[in-house]
C-alpha cells in the first residue's frame, strides 16, 4: 500500500507551539526508540524516518520529502536532528583524510577516511580519550573524558560518507581503531553496530566491521555472546607479561594467559581470523625472541598478525625499529606459516595514523 494513501495521523496536523521540554536528538535512535519517542506516528512513518537517517544519511528534516509536510514541520519543532559536525579535515599524501568531529557538548574526536580500490575504510573513535593508559599511545596519554553515544559513533560514518560523496554500493569497512577502547564502551558501540548493519540503513555486513581492543577479557566474553558481531582484533604489543604490563596497564588485570584463554573460547567462524595487532617498538617489542613468542601465542587460535611499526608522536620516548629489523621480524613469522602483514599506517603525515589521534591537552603526568 502506498503509505501516502494511509489515513493521516495526529502527527500529520500542523505543528503546535514549541514544547517546553528539551528536544530529544533522533540521530542514533533505533526503530523502537523512534516509535517510543513519537507516539501517534504510525510504524511505517518511523521506518521512513529510520531510512532517512541511516540509509540516506540525511542531515535536515527538509530532506525527508517522503514524509508529509505537516509531519516534517512538527518534527522540526519537537525533536532535534543533529549529527556530529566535521570541523576540520586534513588530507594526507596517501589519499586518506583525517577529520575532527565536534560533538554536541563541544568535545572533539577524530576519524579517518581511507579510500582503497573497490572499498572505503573508515577508522572510528569510540570514546573521547581513553582510560587504558598504554604508554606508547597518544590517546592513552589524554586519559578518559567520556564515552561516545551510539549516535556519535554512527554520526562519524554519516559525516565522512557524506563529505566524501560516497558512491552507493561501494563496500564500506569500519575499524574501531581511532580514539578510545571500544570494549570499555561496548553497549554504545554495539548499539551503533546494530544501526550500521541494519538492512534498512547502511547495511554494512558485520564481517566488514572490526573491533580492536587492548584485551578487556570481560568485553571479549560479552562480545562472544552476540549473534551478529564484528570481527575481533587484539592489540597484543607484548609477548611477556613483564614487558606487556609495562606498556599496557590492562595486562596487570588480564595477563597473556587470561587473554589467550578468552581468545581460544571466542567463536570464530569458518574463514574468520582474530587479528593480532603488534606494535613494533625499537628495543622493547622487536627482538627475535618476541617474534618466536608471538608465533606461539598466535598458534592457539585462527589468527593473522598485523605488525605496526611505531608511529612517532611528540614526547613518547619510543622509536620505530629500523627497516631491516621489521623485515626480519616479518620474514620469521611468514617462515612459520602464519599470515602476517605490515601496516604502513595511512595518514602518518597528518597524524591520523594509529595512536596519533589525540585532540585535547595531554594528561598531566
Ligand atoms: N583501544 C583500541 C583501539 C584503538 S588503538 C586498541 O587498543 O586496540 C588502535 C591500534 O593502534 C592498536 O592496535 C594500538 O596498539 C595501536 N597504536 C596505538 N598507538 C600507536 C602508535 N603510537 N604507533 C603505532 N600503533 C599504535
Ligand atoms: Fe587506549 Fe587503545 Fe591507546 Fe591503549 S592503544 S591507550 S587501549 S586507544
Amino acid at each position: 500500500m502506498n503509505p501516502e494513501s494511509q489515513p493521516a495521523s495526529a502527527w500529520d496536523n500542523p505543528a503546535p507551539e514549541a514544547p517546553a521540554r528539551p528536544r530529544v536528538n533522533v540521530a542514533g535512535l533505533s526503530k523502537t526508540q523512534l516509535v517510543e519517542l513519537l507516539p501517534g506516528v504510525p510504524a511505517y512513518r518511523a521506518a521512513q524516518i529510520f531510512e532517512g537517517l541511516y540509509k540516506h544519511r540525511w542531515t535536515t528534516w527538509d530532506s525527508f520529502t517522503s514524509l508529509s509536510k505537516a509531519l516534517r514541520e512538527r518534527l522540526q519543532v519537537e525533536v532535534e536532528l543533529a549529527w556530529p559536525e566535521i570541523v576540520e579535515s586534513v588530507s594526507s599524501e596517501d589519499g586518506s583524510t583525517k577529520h575532527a568531529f565536534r560533538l554536541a557538548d563541544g568535545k572533539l574526536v577524530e576519524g579517518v577516511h581511507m579510500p582503497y580500490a573497490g572499498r572505503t575504510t573508515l577508522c572510528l573513535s569510540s570514546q573521547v580519550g581513553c582510560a587504558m593508559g598504554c604508554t606508547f599511545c597518544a590517546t592513552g596519554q589524554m586519559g578518559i573524558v567520556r564515552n561516545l553515544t551510539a549516535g556519535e559513533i554512527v554520526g562519524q560514518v554519516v559525516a565522512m560518507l557524506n563529505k566524501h560523496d560516497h558512491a552507493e554500493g561501494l563496500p564500506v569497512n569500519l575499524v574501531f581503531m581511532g580514539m578510545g577502547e571500544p570494549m570499555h564502551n561496548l553497549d554504545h558501540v554495539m548499539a551503533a553496530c546494530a544501526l550500521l548493519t541494519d538492512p534498512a540503513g547502511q547495511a554494512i555486513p558485520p564481517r566488514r566491521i572490526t573491533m580492536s581492543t587492548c584485551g578487556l577479557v570481560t568485553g571479549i566474553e560479552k562480545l562472544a555472546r552476540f549473534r551478529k558481531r564484528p570481527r575481533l582484533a587484539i592489540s597484543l604489543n607484548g609477548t611477556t607479561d613483564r614487558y606487556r604490563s609495562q606498556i599496557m596497564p590492562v595486562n596487570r588485570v588480564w595477563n597473556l594467559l587470561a587473554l589467550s584463554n578468552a581468545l581460544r573460547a571466542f567463536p570464530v567462524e569458518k574463514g574468520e581470523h582474530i587479528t593480532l595487532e603488534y606494535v613494533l617498538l625499537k628495543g622493547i617489542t622487536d627482538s627475535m625472541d618476541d617474534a618466536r613468542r608471538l608465533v606461539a601465542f598466535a598458534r592457539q587460535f585462527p589468527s593473522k598478525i598485523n605488525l605496526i611499526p611505531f608511529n612517532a608522536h611528540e614526547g613518547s620516548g619510543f622509536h620505530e625499529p629500523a627497516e631491516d629489523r621489521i623485515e626480519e621480524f616479518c620474514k620469521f613469522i611468514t617462515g612459520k606459516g602464519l599470515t602476517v602483514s605490515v601496516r604502513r599506517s595511512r595518514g602518518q603525515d597528518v597524524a591520523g595514523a594509529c595512536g596519533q589521534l589525540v585532540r585535547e591537552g595531554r594528561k598531566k603526568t
Side-chain angles (χ1 to χ4, degrees):
M1 193 196 309
N2 174 6
E4 288 297 339
S5 69
Q6 294 197 3
S9 75
W11 278 79
D12 289 308
N13 293 329
E17 284 189 9
R21 66 187 161 90
R23 298 191 313 157
V24 174
N25 185 5
V26 293
L29 297 190
S30 66
K31 254 174 259 175
T32 318
Q33 288 168 324
L34 285 172
V35 169
E36 274 169 15
L37 176 71
L38 308 170
V41 169
Y44 78 89
R45 288 290 194 209
Q48 284 175 326
I49 296 172
F50 187 92
E51 252 195 45
L53 290 171
Y54 305 114
K55 181 177 181 184
H56 304 301
R57 310 187 304 264
W58 287 330
T59 56
T60 65
W61 288 119
D62 291 339
S63 308
F64 287 70
T65 47
S66 53
L67 306 177
S68 71
K69 190 154 177 281
L71 175 54
R72 258 183 287 152
E73 283 173 1
R74 184 140 192 191
L75 289 167
Q76 195 109 44
V77 173
E78 300 208 354
V79 292
E80 205 179 341
L81 167 48
W83 293 113
E85 196 193 340
I86 293 181
V87 289
E88 196 188 318
S89 305
V90 194
S91 292
S92 157
E93 277 175 5
D94 62 21
S96 61
T97 307
K98 181 180 77 164
H99 297 287
F101 303 90
R102 190 173 40 223
L103 310 175
D105 60 358
K107 301 265 183 293
L108 297 170
V109 288
E110 294 180 338
V112 187
H113 175 273
M114 293 168 274
Y116 293 94
R119 70 177 196 279
T120 295
T121 299
L122 304 178
C123 176
L124 306 178
S125 291
S126 55
Q127 296 179 311
V128 184
C130 181
M132 299 296 130
C134 304
T135 55
F136 51 84
C137 172
T139 310
Q141 302 312 299
M142 272 176 76
I144 180 76
V145 179
R146 70 168 174 88
N147 282 338
L148 295 192
T149 63
E152 289 168 338
I153 295 167
V154 176
Q156 296 169 59
V157 177
V158 167
M160 283 196 272
L161 294 184
N162 285 348
K163 178 95 178 177
H164 291 269
D165 288 327
H166 185 75
E168 217 188 307
L170 184 69
V172 176
N173 287 355
L174 302 177
V175 296
F176 284 94
M177 295 183 188
M179 294 167 74
E181 167 51 49
M183 294 273 180
H184 195 212
N185 183 21
L186 194 57
D187 291 348
H188 291 158
V189 169
M190 290 309 287
C193 288
L195 296 173
L196 292 162
T197 55
D198 195 297
Q202 288 298 305
I204 299 172
R207 67 183 157 78
R208 288 195 174 273
I209 306 179
T210 301
M211 195 186 291
S212 173
T213 175
C214 63
L216 296 184
V217 163
T218 43
I220 296 170
E221 287 167 351
K222 196 167 171 191
L223 185 67
R225 293 195 289 271
F226 279 85
R227 194 177 50 83
K228 266 177 37 175
R229 60 175 173 272
R231 297 271 151 118
L232 188 58
I234 303 293
S235 297
L236 192 64
N237 305 343
T239 61
T240 62
D241 282 325
R242 185 159 167 238
Y243 278 91
R244 191 166 190 266
S245 292
Q246 275 177 25
I247 56 172
M248 300 183 74
V250 68
N251 197 71
R252 297 172 207 162
V253 182
W254 291 288
N255 64 14
L256 287 165
L257 179 62
L259 181 59
S260 61
N261 284 342
L263 297 180
R264 276 189 282 115
F266 194 80
V268 179
E269 280 164 25
K270 212 166 170 253
E272 187 186 333
H273 295 96
I274 295 173
T275 303
L276 294 177
E277 299 163 278
Y278 191 85
V279 177
L280 289 164
L281 301 168
K282 185 177 177 180
I284 298 173
T285 64
D286 66 344
S287 74
M288 294 318 288
D289 280 340
D290 281 314
R292 261 183 286 280
R293 287 187 292 255
L294 175 56
V295 166
F297 190 90
R299 283 223 166 107
Q300 300 178 79
F301 41 85
S303 65
K304 49 185 184 187
I305 295 171
N306 193 200
L307 300 176
I308 317 174
F310 175 67
N311 293 314
H313 53 89
E314 205 189 314
S316 74
F318 295 105
H319 303 280
E320 180 183 347
E323 203 55 42
D324 52 355
R325 171 44 61 102
I326 299 172
E327 225 167 86
E328 193 185 355
F329 203 96
C330 188
K331 259 197 192 141
F332 177 84
I333 299 168
T334 322
K336 296 290 176 191
L338 294 178
T339 309
V340 59
S341 56
V342 181
R343 189 191 304 170
R344 299 288 168 191
S345 282
R346 291 194 129 209
Q348 215 161 345
D349 52 329
V350 296
C354 307
Q356 291 178 308
L357 297 176
V358 61
R359 261 285 143 192
E360 308 216 338
R362 298 261 163 85
K363 192 172 66 179
K364 290 196 178 67
T365 48

